Structure formats: C-alpha cells, structure tokens
Amino acid sequence: MNINFNLQKYLKGDMYIWAIFALLSLFSVLAVYSSSGAMAYKFAGGNTEYYLFKQIFFIFLGAGVTYLSYKIHYFHYSRLAPIMLILAIILLIITLAIGPEYNDARRWINIPWINQRFQTSDFAKVALIMYVARSLAIRQDFIKDFKSAFLPIIVPVIVVSALIMPADLSTGLLLFVTSVLMMFIGRVSMKYVVMLVFSGVILLGILFLLGSVFPEAFRIETWMSRIQDFISGSEGHDQVIQSKIAIANGSWVGLGPGHSLQKNFLPYAYADFIYAIICEEYGVFGGLLIIGVYLTLLFRCIKIVTQCPKAFGAILAMGLCLNIVIQAFANIAVSVQLVPVTGLTLPLVSMGGTSLLFTSMSIGVILSVSRYVEQATQQRLALEKLEEKENESDN
C-alpha cells in the first residue's frame, strides 16, 4: 500500500504507460545482455558485461529523460516545436554533408569528448511530430483550407522526410506515414491527405532516380537488393533465415533467458533482430507478450486522445505513440519476413543510445499529456459533484 501510494504521489498520469516503460526496459536488459555476447568478444575484449552495463546506463538515463519530459507541461512543447524543427533540419543537412559513414550511410554526428554518436533522425522524428501537432492544433478553425492550413504543414514533412530518406529510407517512410496519419486525425481534408500520399510517392521516385544517377550518394543498390530478395523469398546475408530458425527454436515456451543459439549467427541480433532472440528464449508466449505491450500502449494513447480537451495534446500524444508502435511492428514484421529488411530497431528494447533516449522522451511527453487529462477529469468530476450538492441544497 505504501509503495503504491508513493508511486501515485510522484508518478501521475497513465500508470499503464509507466508500467509499459518499465516492462520494456526489463526486456531490453535481458535481451541485450543475451544477444550482445558475440559482439562483446569481438569489440570489448571478451567482456560480456560491457554492453549490459552500457545498456543499463542508457536505460537509467532514458528513465531520467522520461521523467523530465513528463514533468514539463506539454503546452511548452508547442512553443519549442518550431525551434526544434529548424535545428533538426540543420542537423540533418550537416549529417548528410559531413557526417561519418557507417555501413555505407551517413546517419550520425560524432559527439566530441564523450566518444558517442548522435543519430540526428531520432531527434528529427520527435521535432517534426511536435511541429505537425502544433500546426494542426492552431489551424483547426480553417483546417480545410489548402493555402493557410495544409501547405504550411506539408512542406516541413516533405523536407524532413527527404533529408532522412537518402541514408535511412525506412525511417523516412515511417515518419512520413506517421505524419499522414496525424493529418487524418487532425481533420485535414481527405483530398489533401491523398495529395500528400501522392507527393510522397513522387518523392520516393525522385530519390530512386537520383540514386541511379548518383549511387555513391544514395543507397539505391541496398534498397533494390532488399526488395528483390524479399520478392524472391531469399534474404541476403541469411538474416531472415537465421531469424526464422531462432523463432522456430523457441517453440511455445522458449529455451530460457540467455540460452539463445542463433545469437551467434544472426547479424544485429541485439538491434534489428532482437525480437527473434526474444522469441527463441521466451517462446511464442514471450513474443506475444511483446506484441501485447505495444498494443496496450496504442489503446491507452487512444483513450488519452478521446479524453483530452485540447487538440494539440491529443494529436501530439497520438503522433508520438503511432511513431513508436508502427516502428515496433515494422521491426517484428521483418523478423517474420512479412516485409523487406528495414534496419529499424525495436523501440525501448533494442540496444541503442540516442534512439532509446528520444523514444523515452516520447513516452515522457505522452505521460505529460495523460497527467493533464487526469487533472482535467478530476476537476470536472469535482465540479459535477459540487453542482449536485448545490442542486440538493436548493431542493
């Protein structure tokens, strides 16, 4: 009782979402420790605890980011959104121009002195979602107008997505889809939403055309090989084959924590294919639990949206939630070969630095909205109770 009281005192908002953050963090520690052993022997001198402690450090740091984001009233994010968007565009341009190249892609900026990489697209996702939510909220009275409402929103969406896509096509597409869904939720005219989708198709075609002309600047060969491998049913580097073997090994109840066999053969077992390792060690039940957790996050955010009295809070919470959930199911779909290999990580579970921190920030912002909704609901109920007492006294 005392523990529950203390939690309710310091952690307001949706307790289910707090529990989701804690549960995914626990899965992250267990899965990363198990799946990073081979990498530890290769890059950390055989110190198998190196990546475990590193992940625990980022999880605690992420928890701090979540709490700080939760304590800030979500209205302040509306004011910060334009500044964050401009900064995100600048960082994306710098990344494409002079960012270090890893795996034939420029996605990071090296942070001096601390020997860490910063993935600018993670920051850009949060910045763009906040800006789109802000733009939709302040234009609700004339949301159907093309020039005054739709055009100021579509331009940043296309610019940011276009800057992300050359180095990270899947992340750019994910952000574009999230923006389209936010516009649908924000009551933008369907003809404009269809126009945006059509613009995205044109943008994608332009990128493929530029990639064929300048292959050194775009990853056209990687994109095409992944699509062709998926269509033909044979994935390069045995990634999906090893993933399927891992899932099959797990059967219903799994091999047990730390007993994965395929972690030594599956590329990026600690990141892109961590879901397969979870299924191998915890079985179908563990895999279904992960899916259930992300679905619960979606349903809880839908509840927040239906109860939020302010358009900005509702659209912001839903946009951030959709970005997390869609990425999660895209990652899971890759592991079971429902879609081509994307390179997307499993949010809050895969090993990561900036990705984990900005996902934690997204959770914190959603909790900030839920805290406001909770306070507004309590005030409304108190007012209704007061009115009932006044009516009783009058009678």
PDB file of all heavy atoms in Angstrom, residues 185-216:
ATOM      1  N   ILE A 185      -6.067  12.314 -38.444  1.00  0.00           N
ATOM      2  CA  ILE A 185      -6.635  12.519 -37.103  1.00  0.00           C
ATOM      3  C   ILE A 185      -6.969  13.990 -36.881  1.00  0.00           C
ATOM      4  O   ILE A 185      -7.964  14.324 -36.232  1.00  0.00           O
ATOM      5  CB  ILE A 185      -5.646  12.026 -36.029  1.00  0.00           C
ATOM      6  CG1 ILE A 185      -5.461  10.509 -36.146  1.00  0.00           C
ATOM      7  CG2 ILE A 185      -6.120  12.387 -34.623  1.00  0.00           C
ATOM      8  CD1 ILE A 185      -4.315   9.959 -35.312  1.00  0.00           C
ATOM      9  N   GLY A 186      -6.144  14.891 -37.436  1.00  0.00           N
ATOM     10  CA  GLY A 186      -6.340  16.321 -37.273  1.00  0.00           C
ATOM     11  C   GLY A 186      -7.381  16.933 -38.188  1.00  0.00           C
ATOM     12  O   GLY A 186      -7.462  18.153 -38.305  1.00  0.00           O
ATOM     13  N   ARG A 187      -8.175  16.097 -38.860  1.00  0.00           N
ATOM     14  CA  ARG A 187      -9.320  16.517 -39.686  1.00  0.00           C
ATOM     15  C   ARG A 187      -8.909  17.275 -40.953  1.00  0.00           C
ATOM     16  O   ARG A 187      -9.687  18.061 -41.495  1.00  0.00           O
ATOM     17  CB  ARG A 187     -10.301  17.382 -38.877  1.00  0.00           C
ATOM     18  CG  ARG A 187     -10.869  16.709 -37.677  1.00  0.00           C
ATOM     19  CD  ARG A 187     -11.996  17.497 -37.029  1.00  0.00           C
ATOM     20  NE  ARG A 187     -11.621  18.880 -36.747  1.00  0.00           N
ATOM     21  CZ  ARG A 187     -12.138  19.932 -37.378  1.00  0.00           C
ATOM     22  NH1 ARG A 187     -13.021  19.767 -38.346  1.00  0.00           N
ATOM     23  NH2 ARG A 187     -11.774  21.149 -37.044  1.00  0.00           N
ATOM     24  N   VAL A 188      -7.720  17.032 -41.447  1.00  0.00           N
ATOM     25  CA  VAL A 188      -7.340  17.597 -42.743  1.00  0.00           C
ATOM     26  C   VAL A 188      -8.202  16.948 -43.823  1.00  0.00           C
ATOM     27  O   VAL A 188      -8.522  15.758 -43.749  1.00  0.00           O
ATOM     28  CB  VAL A 188      -5.844  17.349 -43.019  1.00  0.00           C
ATOM     29  CG1 VAL A 188      -5.479  17.734 -44.449  1.00  0.00           C
ATOM     30  CG2 VAL A 188      -4.996  18.133 -42.033  1.00  0.00           C
ATOM     31  N   SER A 189      -8.583  17.720 -44.821  1.00  0.00           N
ATOM     32  CA  SER A 189      -9.428  17.211 -45.904  1.00  0.00           C
ATOM     33  C   SER A 189      -8.784  15.991 -46.559  1.00  0.00           C
ATOM     34  O   SER A 189      -7.581  15.973 -46.820  1.00  0.00           O
ATOM     35  CB  SER A 189      -9.644  18.305 -46.952  1.00  0.00           C
ATOM     36  OG  SER A 189     -10.367  17.801 -48.058  1.00  0.00           O
ATOM     37  N   MET A 190      -9.610  14.973 -46.826  1.00  0.00           N
ATOM     38  CA  MET A 190      -9.098  13.729 -47.384  1.00  0.00           C
ATOM     39  C   MET A 190      -8.407  13.941 -48.723  1.00  0.00           C
ATOM     40  O   MET A 190      -7.442  13.265 -49.056  1.00  0.00           O
ATOM     41  CB  MET A 190     -10.215  12.709 -47.532  1.00  0.00           C
ATOM     42  CG  MET A 190     -10.514  11.911 -46.271  1.00  0.00           C
ATOM     43  SD  MET A 190      -9.060  11.038 -45.623  1.00  0.00           S
ATOM     44  CE  MET A 190      -8.694   9.942 -46.995  1.00  0.00           C
ATOM     45  N   LYS A 191      -8.893  14.878 -49.508  1.00  0.00           N
ATOM     46  CA  LYS A 191      -8.262  15.106 -50.811  1.00  0.00           C
ATOM     47  C   LYS A 191      -6.836  15.632 -50.653  1.00  0.00           C
ATOM     48  O   LYS A 191      -5.960  15.327 -51.467  1.00  0.00           O
ATOM     49  CB  LYS A 191      -9.098  16.057 -51.654  1.00  0.00           C
ATOM     50  CG  LYS A 191      -9.250  17.467 -51.102  1.00  0.00           C
ATOM     51  CD  LYS A 191     -10.104  18.322 -52.025  1.00  0.00           C
ATOM     52  CE  LYS A 191     -10.275  19.743 -51.472  1.00  0.00           C
ATOM     53  NZ  LYS A 191     -11.120  20.567 -52.378  1.00  0.00           N
ATOM     54  N   TYR A 192      -6.597  16.381 -49.566  1.00  0.00           N
ATOM     55  CA  TYR A 192      -5.256  16.872 -49.301  1.00  0.00           C
ATOM     56  C   TYR A 192      -4.370  15.755 -48.752  1.00  0.00           C
ATOM     57  O   TYR A 192      -3.167  15.699 -49.044  1.00  0.00           O
ATOM     58  CB  TYR A 192      -5.295  18.034 -48.316  1.00  0.00           C
ATOM     59  CG  TYR A 192      -6.040  19.244 -48.824  1.00  0.00           C
ATOM     60  CD1 TYR A 192      -6.736  20.079 -47.955  1.00  0.00           C
ATOM     61  CD2 TYR A 192      -6.069  19.542 -50.189  1.00  0.00           C
ATOM     62  CE1 TYR A 192      -7.422  21.199 -48.418  1.00  0.00           C
ATOM     63  CE2 TYR A 192      -6.756  20.650 -50.665  1.00  0.00           C
ATOM     64  CZ  TYR A 192      -7.435  21.467 -49.778  1.00  0.00           C
ATOM     65  OH  TYR A 192      -8.121  22.549 -50.248  1.00  0.00           O
ATOM     66  N   VAL A 193      -4.943  14.865 -47.937  1.00  0.00           N
ATOM     67  CA  VAL A 193      -4.194  13.720 -47.427  1.00  0.00           C
ATOM     68  C   VAL A 193      -3.758  12.827 -48.581  1.00  0.00           C
ATOM     69  O   VAL A 193      -2.616  12.369 -48.645  1.00  0.00           O
ATOM     70  CB  VAL A 193      -5.032  12.922 -46.406  1.00  0.00           C
ATOM     71  CG1 VAL A 193      -4.306  11.638 -46.002  1.00  0.00           C
ATOM     72  CG2 VAL A 193      -5.330  13.768 -45.175  1.00  0.00           C
ATOM     73  N   VAL A 194      -4.687  12.585 -49.532  1.00  0.00           N
ATOM     74  CA  VAL A 194      -4.356  11.784 -50.717  1.00  0.00           C
ATOM     75  C   VAL A 194      -3.277  12.495 -51.531  1.00  0.00           C
ATOM     76  O   VAL A 194      -2.354  11.859 -52.054  1.00  0.00           O
ATOM     77  CB  VAL A 194      -5.613  11.539 -51.571  1.00  0.00           C
ATOM     78  CG1 VAL A 194      -5.246  10.872 -52.890  1.00  0.00           C
ATOM     79  CG2 VAL A 194      -6.611  10.678 -50.802  1.00  0.00           C
ATOM     80  N   MET A 195      -3.356  13.811 -51.603  1.00  0.00           N
ATOM     81  CA  MET A 195      -2.343  14.587 -52.320  1.00  0.00           C
ATOM     82  C   MET A 195      -0.974  14.431 -51.668  1.00  0.00           C
ATOM     83  O   MET A 195       0.048  14.306 -52.359  1.00  0.00           O
ATOM     84  CB  MET A 195      -2.744  16.072 -52.342  1.00  0.00           C
ATOM     85  CG  MET A 195      -1.825  16.956 -53.176  1.00  0.00           C
ATOM     86  SD  MET A 195      -2.273  18.703 -53.036  1.00  0.00           S
ATOM     87  CE  MET A 195      -3.969  18.668 -53.650  1.00  0.00           C
ATOM     88  N   LEU A 196      -0.969  14.399 -50.328  1.00  0.00           N
ATOM     89  CA  LEU A 196       0.289  14.223 -49.610  1.00  0.00           C
ATOM     90  C   LEU A 196       0.878  12.844 -49.882  1.00  0.00           C
ATOM     91  O   LEU A 196       2.089  12.700 -50.088  1.00  0.00           O
ATOM     92  CB  LEU A 196       0.072  14.410 -48.105  1.00  0.00           C
ATOM     93  CG  LEU A 196       1.293  14.215 -47.202  1.00  0.00           C
ATOM     94  CD1 LEU A 196       2.408  15.182 -47.587  1.00  0.00           C
ATOM     95  CD2 LEU A 196       0.907  14.400 -45.734  1.00  0.00           C
ATOM     96  N   VAL A 197       0.022  11.821 -49.879  1.00  0.00           N
ATOM     97  CA  VAL A 197       0.487  10.464 -50.182  1.00  0.00           C
ATOM     98  C   VAL A 197       1.067  10.416 -51.590  1.00  0.00           C
ATOM     99  O   VAL A 197       2.130   9.816 -51.832  1.00  0.00           O
ATOM    100  CB  VAL A 197      -0.654   9.444 -50.028  1.00  0.00           C
ATOM    101  CG1 VAL A 197      -0.215   8.063 -50.499  1.00  0.00           C
ATOM    102  CG2 VAL A 197      -1.128   9.390 -48.576  1.00  0.00           C
ATOM    103  N   PHE A 198       0.390  11.048 -52.526  1.00  0.00           N
ATOM    104  CA  PHE A 198       0.867  11.091 -53.911  1.00  0.00           C
ATOM    105  C   PHE A 198       2.201  11.827 -53.990  1.00  0.00           C
ATOM    106  O   PHE A 198       3.113  11.407 -54.730  1.00  0.00           O
ATOM    107  CB  PHE A 198      -0.171  11.780 -54.792  1.00  0.00           C
ATOM    108  CG  PHE A 198       0.171  11.785 -56.253  1.00  0.00           C
ATOM    109  CD1 PHE A 198       0.188  10.604 -56.979  1.00  0.00           C
ATOM    110  CD2 PHE A 198       0.488  12.974 -56.897  1.00  0.00           C
ATOM    111  CE1 PHE A 198       0.510  10.611 -58.335  1.00  0.00           C
ATOM    112  CE2 PHE A 198       0.814  12.987 -58.237  1.00  0.00           C
ATOM    113  CZ  PHE A 198       0.825  11.796 -58.965  1.00  0.00           C
ATOM    114  N   SER A 199       2.344  12.908 -53.209  1.00  0.00           N
ATOM    115  CA  SER A 199       3.611  13.646 -53.171  1.00  0.00           C
ATOM    116  C   SER A 199       4.736  12.766 -52.626  1.00  0.00           C
ATOM    117  O   SER A 199       5.872  12.825 -53.099  1.00  0.00           O
ATOM    118  CB  SER A 199       3.471  14.894 -52.295  1.00  0.00           C
ATOM    119  OG  SER A 199       2.465  15.748 -52.787  1.00  0.00           O
ATOM    120  N   GLY A 200       4.396  11.931 -51.634  1.00  0.00           N
ATOM    121  CA  GLY A 200       5.383  11.012 -51.091  1.00  0.00           C
ATOM    122  C   GLY A 200       5.843   9.990 -52.111  1.00  0.00           C
ATOM    123  O   GLY A 200       7.033   9.655 -52.174  1.00  0.00           O
ATOM    124  N   VAL A 201       4.913   9.498 -52.914  1.00  0.00           N
ATOM    125  CA  VAL A 201       5.275   8.549 -53.968  1.00  0.00           C
ATOM    126  C   VAL A 201       6.196   9.206 -54.986  1.00  0.00           C
ATOM    127  O   VAL A 201       7.191   8.616 -55.434  1.00  0.00           O
ATOM    128  CB  VAL A 201       4.002   8.000 -54.653  1.00  0.00           C
ATOM    129  CG1 VAL A 201       4.373   7.127 -55.850  1.00  0.00           C
ATOM    130  CG2 VAL A 201       3.161   7.202 -53.659  1.00  0.00           C
ATOM    131  N   ILE A 202       5.874  10.448 -55.348  1.00  0.00           N
ATOM    132  CA  ILE A 202       6.720  11.191 -56.292  1.00  0.00           C
ATOM    133  C   ILE A 202       8.112  11.405 -55.698  1.00  0.00           C
ATOM    134  O   ILE A 202       9.133  11.232 -56.387  1.00  0.00           O
ATOM    135  CB  ILE A 202       6.073  12.540 -56.652  1.00  0.00           C
ATOM    136  CG1 ILE A 202       4.774  12.315 -57.451  1.00  0.00           C
ATOM    137  CG2 ILE A 202       7.043  13.406 -57.453  1.00  0.00           C
ATOM    138  CD1 ILE A 202       4.025  13.589 -57.763  1.00  0.00           C
ATOM    139  N   LEU A 203       8.166  11.787 -54.415  1.00  0.00           N
ATOM    140  CA  LEU A 203       9.447  11.993 -53.738  1.00  0.00           C
ATOM    141  C   LEU A 203      10.270  10.718 -53.746  1.00  0.00           C
ATOM    142  O   LEU A 203      11.478  10.748 -54.014  1.00  0.00           O
ATOM    143  CB  LEU A 203       9.208  12.464 -52.303  1.00  0.00           C
ATOM    144  CG  LEU A 203      10.434  12.559 -51.394  1.00  0.00           C
ATOM    145  CD1 LEU A 203      11.419  13.594 -51.930  1.00  0.00           C
ATOM    146  CD2 LEU A 203      10.006  12.928 -49.964  1.00  0.00           C
ATOM    147  N   LEU A 204       9.628   9.600 -53.477  1.00  0.00           N
ATOM    148  CA  LEU A 204      10.327   8.321 -53.476  1.00  0.00           C
ATOM    149  C   LEU A 204      10.869   7.998 -54.864  1.00  0.00           C
ATOM    150  O   LEU A 204      11.993   7.506 -55.017  1.00  0.00           O
ATOM    151  CB  LEU A 204       9.379   7.218 -52.994  1.00  0.00           C
ATOM    152  CG  LEU A 204      10.009   5.880 -52.593  1.00  0.00           C
ATOM    153  CD1 LEU A 204      11.000   6.090 -51.453  1.00  0.00           C
ATOM    154  CD2 LEU A 204       8.926   4.895 -52.183  1.00  0.00           C
ATOM    155  N   GLY A 205      10.059   8.287 -55.893  1.00  0.00           N
ATOM    156  CA  GLY A 205      10.515   8.057 -57.262  1.00  0.00           C
ATOM    157  C   GLY A 205      11.712   8.919 -57.616  1.00  0.00           C
ATOM    158  O   GLY A 205      12.651   8.453 -58.291  1.00  0.00           O
ATOM    159  N   ILE A 206      11.688  10.182 -57.156  1.00  0.00           N
ATOM    160  CA  ILE A 206      12.810  11.088 -57.418  1.00  0.00           C
ATOM    161  C   ILE A 206      14.084  10.571 -56.753  1.00  0.00           C
ATOM    162  O   ILE A 206      15.174  10.611 -57.343  1.00  0.00           O
ATOM    163  CB  ILE A 206      12.475  12.510 -56.937  1.00  0.00           C
ATOM    164  CG1 ILE A 206      11.358  13.111 -57.793  1.00  0.00           C
ATOM    165  CG2 ILE A 206      13.709  13.404 -56.980  1.00  0.00           C
ATOM    166  CD1 ILE A 206      10.840  14.446 -57.281  1.00  0.00           C
ATOM    167  N   LEU A 207      13.936  10.068 -55.509  1.00  0.00           N
ATOM    168  CA  LEU A 207      15.100   9.534 -54.796  1.00  0.00           C
ATOM    169  C   LEU A 207      15.687   8.326 -55.516  1.00  0.00           C
ATOM    170  O   LEU A 207      16.911   8.194 -55.624  1.00  0.00           O
ATOM    171  CB  LEU A 207      14.708   9.152 -53.371  1.00  0.00           C
ATOM    172  CG  LEU A 207      14.463  10.316 -52.397  1.00  0.00           C
ATOM    173  CD1 LEU A 207      13.968   9.795 -51.057  1.00  0.00           C
ATOM    174  CD2 LEU A 207      15.724  11.146 -52.209  1.00  0.00           C
ATOM    175  N   PHE A 208      14.831   7.440 -56.017  1.00  0.00           N
ATOM    176  CA  PHE A 208      15.323   6.285 -56.757  1.00  0.00           C
ATOM    177  C   PHE A 208      16.003   6.728 -58.055  1.00  0.00           C
ATOM    178  O   PHE A 208      17.024   6.152 -58.463  1.00  0.00           O
ATOM    179  CB  PHE A 208      14.165   5.331 -57.069  1.00  0.00           C
ATOM    180  CG  PHE A 208      13.916   4.317 -55.989  1.00  0.00           C
ATOM    181  CD1 PHE A 208      13.058   4.598 -54.943  1.00  0.00           C
ATOM    182  CD2 PHE A 208      14.553   3.088 -56.010  1.00  0.00           C
ATOM    183  CE1 PHE A 208      12.833   3.676 -53.939  1.00  0.00           C
ATOM    184  CE2 PHE A 208      14.339   2.156 -55.008  1.00  0.00           C
ATOM    185  CZ  PHE A 208      13.475   2.444 -53.976  1.00  0.00           C
ATOM    186  N   LEU A 209      15.463   7.756 -58.706  1.00  0.00           N
ATOM    187  CA  LEU A 209      16.063   8.274 -59.933  1.00  0.00           C
ATOM    188  C   LEU A 209      17.428   8.889 -59.650  1.00  0.00           C
ATOM    189  O   LEU A 209      18.409   8.628 -60.371  1.00  0.00           O
ATOM    190  CB  LEU A 209      15.133   9.313 -60.571  1.00  0.00           C
ATOM    191  CG  LEU A 209      15.616   9.947 -61.888  1.00  0.00           C
ATOM    192  CD1 LEU A 209      15.766   8.881 -62.967  1.00  0.00           C
ATOM    193  CD2 LEU A 209      14.648  11.034 -62.344  1.00  0.00           C
ATOM    194  N   LEU A 210      17.501   9.694 -58.584  1.00  0.00           N
ATOM    195  CA  LEU A 210      18.775  10.295 -58.214  1.00  0.00           C
ATOM    196  C   LEU A 210      19.776   9.220 -57.794  1.00  0.00           C
ATOM    197  O   LEU A 210      20.982   9.332 -58.064  1.00  0.00           O
ATOM    198  CB  LEU A 210      18.575  11.291 -57.069  1.00  0.00           C
ATOM    199  CG  LEU A 210      17.837  12.595 -57.401  1.00  0.00           C
ATOM    200  CD1 LEU A 210      17.566  13.396 -56.140  1.00  0.00           C
ATOM    201  CD2 LEU A 210      18.640  13.424 -58.393  1.00  0.00           C
ATOM    202  N   GLY A 211      19.262   8.180 -57.146  1.00  0.00           N
ATOM    203  CA  GLY A 211      20.134   7.095 -56.722  1.00  0.00           C
ATOM    204  C   GLY A 211      20.754   6.352 -57.882  1.00  0.00           C
ATOM    205  O   GLY A 211      21.900   5.892 -57.795  1.00  0.00           O
ATOM    206  N   SER A 212      20.009   6.233 -58.983  1.00  0.00           N
ATOM    207  CA  SER A 212      20.562   5.566 -60.164  1.00  0.00           C
ATOM    208  C   SER A 212      21.617   6.424 -60.854  1.00  0.00           C
ATOM    209  O   SER A 212      22.519   5.907 -61.513  1.00  0.00           O
ATOM    210  CB  SER A 212      19.430   5.242 -61.151  1.00  0.00           C
ATOM    211  OG  SER A 212      18.785   6.438 -61.579  1.00  0.00           O
ATOM    212  N   VAL A 213      21.508   7.756 -60.683  1.00  0.00           N
ATOM    213  CA  VAL A 213      22.478   8.671 -61.292  1.00  0.00           C
ATOM    214  C   VAL A 213      23.680   8.887 -60.377  1.00  0.00           C
ATOM    215  O   VAL A 213      24.831   8.942 -60.835  1.00  0.00           O
ATOM    216  CB  VAL A 213      21.806  10.023 -61.616  1.00  0.00           C
ATOM    217  CG1 VAL A 213      22.837  10.998 -62.216  1.00  0.00           C
ATOM    218  CG2 VAL A 213      20.642   9.827 -62.569  1.00  0.00           C
ATOM    219  N   PHE A 214      23.417   8.997 -59.079  1.00  0.00           N
ATOM    220  CA  PHE A 214      24.486   9.218 -58.098  1.00  0.00           C
ATOM    221  C   PHE A 214      24.459   8.088 -57.065  1.00  0.00           C
ATOM    222  O   PHE A 214      24.042   8.297 -55.911  1.00  0.00           O
ATOM    223  CB  PHE A 214      24.309  10.567 -57.397  1.00  0.00           C
ATOM    224  CG  PHE A 214      24.204  11.731 -58.328  1.00  0.00           C
ATOM    225  CD1 PHE A 214      22.972  12.314 -58.591  1.00  0.00           C
ATOM    226  CD2 PHE A 214      25.331  12.251 -58.955  1.00  0.00           C
ATOM    227  CE1 PHE A 214      22.861  13.396 -59.447  1.00  0.00           C
ATOM    228  CE2 PHE A 214      25.232  13.329 -59.814  1.00  0.00           C
ATOM    229  CZ  PHE A 214      24.000  13.907 -60.074  1.00  0.00           C
ATOM    230  N   PRO A 215      24.880   6.892 -57.418  1.00  0.00           N
ATOM    231  CA  PRO A 215      24.797   5.746 -56.496  1.00  0.00           C
ATOM    232  C   PRO A 215      25.654   5.907 -55.248  1.00  0.00           C
ATOM    233  O   PRO A 215      25.367   5.306 -54.218  1.00  0.00           O
ATOM    234  CB  PRO A 215      25.296   4.577 -57.348  1.00  0.00           C
ATOM    235  CG  PRO A 215      26.119   5.209 -58.444  1.00  0.00           C
ATOM    236  CD  PRO A 215      25.472   6.521 -58.709  1.00  0.00           C
ATOM    237  N   GLU A 216      26.706   6.741 -55.329  1.00  0.00           N
ATOM    238  CA  GLU A 216      27.566   6.918 -54.165  1.00  0.00           C
ATOM    239  C   GLU A 216      26.896   7.781 -53.098  1.00  0.00           C
ATOM    240  O   GLU A 216      27.268   7.730 -51.924  1.00  0.00           O
ATOM    241  CB  GLU A 216      28.906   7.557 -54.572  1.00  0.00           C
ATOM    242  CG  GLU A 216      28.832   9.012 -55.042  1.00  0.00           C
ATOM    243  CD  GLU A 216      28.318   9.154 -56.474  1.00  0.00           C
ATOM    244  OE1 GLU A 216      28.136   8.121 -57.135  1.00  0.00           O
ATOM    245  OE2 GLU A 216      28.114  10.309 -56.917  1.00  0.00           O
TER     246      GLU A 216
END
